[in-house]
Amino acid sequence: METLTWAEIIPTVLARFWPVWLALALLFAVSLSTRRRTGLYGKLFDSPIGMIGFALVMFWIFTALLGGLIMTHDPLAQIAQMKNDVPGSPLPDGDARFGWYLFGGDNLGRDVFSRMVAGAWIVVQIAPLATLFAFMVGITLGLPAGYYGGRLDTVLSFLANLILAFPVILLFYLLVTPEIVETGIPQYMAAVMFLFPIVFLVVLVNARYRTQARINVPVIVGIVVVAGYLYLSLVSEPFTPIAVLPASLDAISIPGGVLVVFVSVVFVNSPTVFRIVRGLALDIKTRDYVAAAQTRGEGPWYIMLWEILPNARGPLIVDFCLRVGYTTILLGTLGFFGLGLPPESPDWGTTINDGRRLLTIYLHPALVPSFALLSMVLGLNLLADGLREESLRD
Amino acid sequence: MAMFILRRIGVMLLTALCLTFVVFVLTNLEPNLEKLAKTQGNVRMTDEQVESWLDRRGYSDPVLIKYGRWLGVVPGFVGEDSAGRAVGSCIGEGVEATNAPRFCGVLQADWGYSTVFRDSVWNIVTTRLALTGKLMFWVMVLMVPAALIIGVLSGMREGSKLDRSLSSVSILSTATPEYVSGVILIAVFASSAVGLKWFKGTATSAMESANFDNFFLPVLTIALYGIGYIARMTRASMAEVMTAQYIRTARLKGVSFPNIVMKHALRNALIAPFTVIMLQFPWLLNGVVIVETLFNYKGFGWTLVQAAGNNDIELLLGVSVVSVFVVLVTQLISDIGYVYLNPRIRIA
């Protein structure tokens, strides 16, 4: 078979993404037709910048979810003849698989295109979830720090500044080395950090329905049982210092490397979220509706979670988008230094690191994941910009 | 003002103490020490031999005492070697035990010995820091004026075409981490495949003689990421100043637009970016590590990677002390500078 030219590669690649185009078209059609009824989400479609950002982000999310349909090859399969082949190179004759390496082969003869698609799945799995956890930690600690102030605020702010003064790379190197993983420190940190969502949810419900035991008790019991089980099976890993659950009950098993990466990313992000939430709480607690709630005799947690937090949502949503982008960058940094994730992992940071060694001769193995990461982070930044513009408008 | 600075310095010292303690604990964990014993002594040591090796060098003492020794506030470890002579961390080669100083720690400028580079940590850190200082100097020379010009130009007429296009540039540059922009820049300007070959893809030769060819790409890579962020802050601050009453008054008086921007708006608009620029230092450190690895420039960031990757405990501690110190000092300067620049706070 012939080597494809760029005029043939681009249409083929675009055609490979057909499930994504379909999903995007559906999503935009539905969202545009109902945009007057969906609040801030609908208003996003009034700003061209926000729409472009949203499209970029959703492109990668759909690519990650539908990766199985898009990938042309197994991202880990190596074909020795295809080492460092240029984009559009045909497979050796007689191979039953898809006929070309659309974006060429890397230094081990793996398909760069499929690895890019598979890498999207890793990023989309970890980055939003890690950011969400960081927000849970930041909100649960930042609200009381801002609302109560005083000594609690001093201590928590000092701790947050302590973590912030740590150079991120140094922290990663300290947390992600095999020696530290061996001692179980990241797992203990995970055990503490994963508690925050449960605490957050329980307090959230309890603050609201404290006086209505008929709703309060079953909901809280439900949360504690479901979240508690998830928590235990997340934290507990067989053959490690924390093995609380027997292996048969352990529903979720995260590979050690991924857990460490997750924990360090949450750890780095939460102090910044804490500072933002604390600042917002300091500002909002002087408003009249907070005074009204205090006069009504509402408890402090009700005021924090049901009066202050909803009114701080605008800046928090914007920051969430930016922070997912930043987390993506951090994940790439970890991959770039070969920390945490296994070396054959197709995530973008690791592939960039692999590709850069031969960068002056073969460009494609490093450039493809670079542009993938760039477009995703750019999409998140544009989305945040669009959201900020639209939420400031009213 | 003096009270304020004193209190800030107090908090800073406390933070430094806490952070170095955390790093100390994390680098002196049992697996690290075991690895150290095996690389320094013998790879095939049994567990008992490892233990006695660590015992004889004072590694098995409580963490707080070890930390005190490293800091130089607790007398150094003194033990006996197999021949019965006194040995210890403070007793150097060819020095009589009785003449050796009692304290030897960071405070006495004794930073220990690097097992990877076979040199004293103090020497390594100072030479590497000088190399990185050179890099950072040129980054600042490129980054600060570029960012301020972009920010001021886009902030002086909010919503104009110039603003739109410059803002897009700064969003793009904040979305490009160093390892992406570095790879793209090398691919475009340094690879033999594209054929431009304007610059060199490595900066190893820039350590002795830096010139435009071998130094521009690493400097640009670090600067790009910061430019976008500082420019956006400057733009926001400039746009806010341009809506102020005194700017309107100046316009109504008939002052020309360039004059308004240069004489009335700029000074007030630059207070916020100053803090941002100072607070960029910790992030720049991040970029320095990535870029020095990518371009093989053997500076401070490269040393950090080597020390961390090779379990070089004392070097890693030294590197951490310096980087934590840099971060804290820049924070202090930015706090003081903010107060100093803003007359409303300074005089009140």
Side-chain angles (χ1 to χ4, degrees):
Chain A
M1 275 184 288
E2 295 290 304
T3 301
L4 297 179
T5 59
W6 278 106
E8 291 163 315
I9 294 174
I10 292 167
T12 325
V13 167
L14 292 180
R16 280 309 295 187
F17 277 110
W18 69 266
V20 175
W21 305 129
L22 191 70
L24 270 182
L26 274 178
L27 178 75
F28 269 76
V30 172
S31 305
L32 278 172
S33 60
T34 60
R35 66 174 160 162
R36 293 283 159 252
R37 277 168 286 152
T38 42
L40 182 62
Y41 172 71
K43 279 208 203 103
L44 187 62
F45 292 86
D46 291 337
S47 117
I49 288 188
M51 259 206 302
I52 296 173
F54 185 64
L56 274 173
V57 173
M58 288 318 287
F59 172 83
W60 284 113
I61 292 180
F62 285 135
T63 304
L65 294 176
L66 305 167
L69 293 171
I70 300 164
M71 271 187 263
T72 51
H73 298 85
D74 176 0
L76 297 181
Q78 306 177 0
I79 301 179
Q81 294 100 311
M82 304 294 292
K83 270 183 200 167
N84 294 321
D85 274 2
V86 291
S89 302
L91 253 59
D93 287 331
D95 209 310
R97 287 172 281 191
F98 186 82
W100 294 273
Y101 269 8
L102 287 172
F103 284 160
D106 66 3
N107 58 346
L108 291 174
R110 295 168 296 194
D111 182 24
V112 172
F113 176 75
S114 303
R115 284 177 76 73
M116 176 193 79
V117 174
W121 175 229
I122 296 182
V123 172
V124 168
Q125 253 180 319
I126 299 182
L129 206 61
T131 315
L132 196 67
F133 270 80
F135 264 75
M136 294 278 188
V137 176
I139 289 173
T140 324
L141 295 177
L143 281 177
Y147 184 74
Y148 289 119
R151 201 161 292 162
L152 178 77
D153 182 28
T154 317
V155 171
L156 285 177
S157 294
F158 180 73
L159 286 178
N161 288 338
L162 210 61
I163 302 173
L164 283 175
F166 233 118
V168 177
I169 291 255
L170 185 64
L171 199 67
F172 280 160
Y173 260 110
L174 289 178
L175 281 181
V176 188
T177 48
E179 286 85 31
I180 305 242
V181 177
E182 206 179 302
T183 59
I185 287 180
Q187 276 198 314
Y188 292 115
M189 286 170 67
V192 174
M193 272 187 242
F194 290 171
L195 263 183
F196 278 96
I198 308 182
V199 173
F200 178 79
L201 284 176
V202 169
V203 175
L204 185 76
V205 172
N206 189 46
R208 174 106 209 197
Y209 296 108
R210 195 161 36 100
T211 48
Q212 293 153 275
R214 203 182 302 163
I215 308 176
N216 196 17
V217 173
V219 173
I220 286 188
V221 168
I223 290 175
V224 168
V225 168
V226 173
Y229 174 68
L230 285 177
Y231 171 76
L232 283 178
S233 52
L234 264 177
V235 167
S236 140
E237 283 301 316
F239 315 115
T240 54
I242 306 184
V244 210
L245 280 186
S248 52
L249 281 175
D250 202 342
I252 312 163
S253 168
I254 315 177
V258 177
L259 184 78
V260 177
V261 167
F262 193 88
V263 167
S264 34
V265 170
V266 174
F267 188 68
V268 170
N269 270 322
S270 20
T272 329
V273 180
F274 166 84
R275 289 234 289 218
I276 295 169
V277 174
R278 174 182 168 272
L280 287 168
L282 272 177
D283 172 32
I284 295 178
K285 79 171 178 187
T286 58
R287 304 280 170 89
D288 285 346
Y289 49 78
V290 173
Q294 281 164 341
T295 332
R296 275 205 313 271
E298 302 285 6
W301 281 101
Y302 178 86
I303 296 176
M304 280 184 243
L305 290 170
W306 292 93
E307 301 279 352
I308 294 180
L309 189 57
N311 287 296
R313 70 180 184 281
L316 286 185
I317 293 173
V318 172
D319 186 68
F320 184 80
C321 290
L322 285 176
R323 203 147 290 283
V324 175
Y326 178 61
T327 310
T328 312
I329 292 181
L330 279 186
L331 284 177
T333 312
L334 279 170
F336 182 78
F337 286 109
L339 294 170
L341 297 164
E344 76 278 1
S345 152
D347 75 287
W348 294 334
T350 312
T351 33
I352 293 174
N353 185 31
D354 273 350
R356 76 181 167 92
R357 294 174 213 283
L358 292 172
L359 190 59
T360 45
I361 316 164
Y362 305 110
L363 304 178
H364 56 276
L367 273 188
V368 171
S370 295
F371 278 113
L373 195 138
L374 173 58
S375 62
M376 173 137 171
V377 179
L378 182 65
L380 284 159
N381 282 9
L382 291 177
L383 178 63
D385 243 42
L387 280 173
R388 182 185 297 137
E389 223 168 79
E390 292 305 315
S391 67
L392 281 182
R393 195 163 284 177
D394 48 33
Chain B
M1 190 74 185
M3 230 9 245
F4 168 79
I5 294 178
L6 271 181
R7 208 173 50 227
R8 292 290 322 177
I9 291 178
V11 172
M12 185 188 112
L13 289 179
L14 185 63
T15 314
L17 218 58
C18 292
L19 281 179
T20 46
F21 182 68
V22 170
V23 178
F24 188 86
V25 171
L26 284 177
T27 45
N28 278 278
L29 290 170
E30 215 146 304
N32 296 64
L33 292 178
E34 196 184 315
K35 208 164 140 194
L36 178 79
K38 284 186 177 162
T39 46
Q40 291 302 301
N42 183 348
V43 186
R44 287 194 211 84
M45 275 202 273
T46 60
D47 285 356
E48 288 92 61
Q49 280 171 316
V50 167
E51 212 162 283
S52 73
W53 191 93
L54 292 175
D55 265 344
R56 262 186 286 130
R57 282 159 185 79
Y59 282 114
S60 328
D61 292 331
V63 173
L64 268 177
I65 293 180
K66 281 195 286 181
Y67 178 67
R69 278 182 198 147
W70 173 79
L71 205 61
V73 292
V74 172
F77 175 79
V78 181
E80 279 183 357
D81 66 358
S82 44
R85 279 170 308 182
V87 289
S89 46
C90 294
I91 305 166
E93 202 101 350
V95 179
E96 277 299 312
T98 42
N99 296 339
R102 275 188 76 220
F103 299 95
C104 55
V106 172
L107 295 178
Q108 285 83 21
D110 185 345
W111 290 39
Y113 186 79
S114 157
T115 53
V116 174
F117 295 101
R118 310 235 165 251
D119 195 358
S120 87
V121 170
W122 179 259
N123 283 349
I124 297 170
V125 166
T126 44
T127 45
R128 302 298 174 185
L129 209 54
L131 285 172
T132 297
K134 189 162 78 175
L135 182 65
M136 295 299 282
F137 172 73
W138 288 110
V139 168
M140 285 292 161
V141 166
L142 180 67
M143 181 175 80
V144 173
L148 291 183
I149 289 172
I150 292 177
V152 168
L153 283 180
S154 60
M156 66 185 190
R157 282 192 199 166
E158 213 185 347
S160 65
K161 243 182 214 140
L162 184 70
D163 175 28
R164 290 273 171 208
S165 37
L166 285 178
S167 292
S168 317
V169 171
S170 40
I171 289 186
L172 186 67
S173 94
T174 43
T176 322
E178 291 91 351
Y179 50 91
V180 168
S181 52
V183 161
I184 294 175
L185 287 174
I186 293 182
V188 173
F189 293 116
S191 85
S192 51
V194 175
L196 280 179
K197 288 211 258 181
W198 291 355
F199 305 108
K200 287 205 180 102
T202 70
T204 317
S205 54
M207 290 192 294
E208 275 105 43
S209 61
N211 54 32
F212 196 64
D213 265 1
N214 55 22
F215 216 39
F216 183 64
L217 281 190
V219 169
L220 182 66
T221 308
I222 304 182
L224 265 184
Y225 189 54
I227 282 178
Y229 189 65
I230 299 178
R232 290 179 78 173
M233 291 295 157
T234 317
R235 175 186 175 275
S237 141
M238 187 72 188
E240 200 189 314
V241 169
M242 289 306 279
T243 59
Q245 295 284 328
Y246 63 88
I247 298 290
R248 205 177 59 176
T249 314
R251 295 206 83 167
L252 293 177
K253 272 196 315 195
V255 183
S256 72
F257 191 72
N259 248 336
I260 291 180
V261 171
M262 296 305 289
K263 290 199 176 140
H264 298 256
L266 209 54
R267 200 190 135 90
N268 286 310
L270 290 185
I271 296 176
F274 169 77
T275 5
V276 176
I277 292 172
M278 291 315 287
L279 292 178
Q280 274 286 306
F281 269 96
W283 301 115
L284 286 178
L285 195 70
N286 227 345
V288 164
V289 179
I290 293 172
V291 165
E292 286 185 356
T293 313
L294 189 61
F295 287 92
N296 205 15
Y297 181 80
K298 292 173 177 139
F300 188 69
W302 182 84
T303 313
L304 191 157
V305 174
Q306 295 301 318
N310 293 311
N311 192 38
D312 192 341
I313 295 176
E314 286 181 339
L315 182 58
L316 189 56
L317 277 168
V319 168
S320 318
V321 171
V322 174
S323 46
V324 164
F325 194 71
V326 168
V327 171
L328 291 176
V329 167
T330 49
Q331 277 179 0
L332 185 73
I333 295 175
S334 100
D335 278 1
I336 296 172
Y338 186 76
V339 173
Y340 183 74
L341 282 177
N342 196 338
R344 266 173 294 191
I345 305 179
R346 185 182 41 188
I347 291 164

